[in-house]
Amino acid sequence: MNIIQFLISIVLFTILAFGIGFILNMVLRTTWLPVIVCVGVVVGALVLKNIVPTGYDLTILLFGMAGSVMSGYTIQLLRKKGYRMF
């Protein structure tokens, strides 16, 4: 994998997971559901498809999970600050 592809993949997976997690948190009013879904999808894909991930793959997936965790913390912070729509 090219280093530029690797860096762009990290950024894209982080932003994508954050965005999807944030929207799910707003719509469903749950804080940690996107993290559970993200872990389930990653583990399910690796186990069911018998995929052996490389270090690059694991790093990209971990940054995606970090994005979903950041969305949970962001929603939690907004709720504590008094924003009712979140």
Side-chain angles (χ1 to χ4, degrees), residues 5-76:
Q5 290 174 332
F6 178 63
L7 295 175
I8 290 173
S9 297
I10 286 175
V11 172
L12 286 177
F13 268 69
T14 305
I15 292 172
L16 184 69
F18 180 85
I20 291 172
F22 194 84
I23 291 170
L24 277 176
N25 283 327
M26 281 194 320
V27 172
L28 299 177
R29 291 197 177 268
T30 61
T31 304
W32 299 111
L33 179 67
V35 176
I36 296 167
V37 169
C38 183
V39 170
V41 166
V42 169
V43 170
L46 294 177
V47 170
L48 293 176
K49 299 276 186 176
N50 292 328
I51 297 173
V52 179
T54 63
Y56 292 120
D57 298 330
L58 288 176
T59 304
I60 292 169
L61 291 173
L62 287 174
F63 272 93
M65 284 187 212
S68 62
V69 169
M70 286 189 305
S71 73
Y73 281 123
T74 303
I75 289 290
Q76 213 171 32

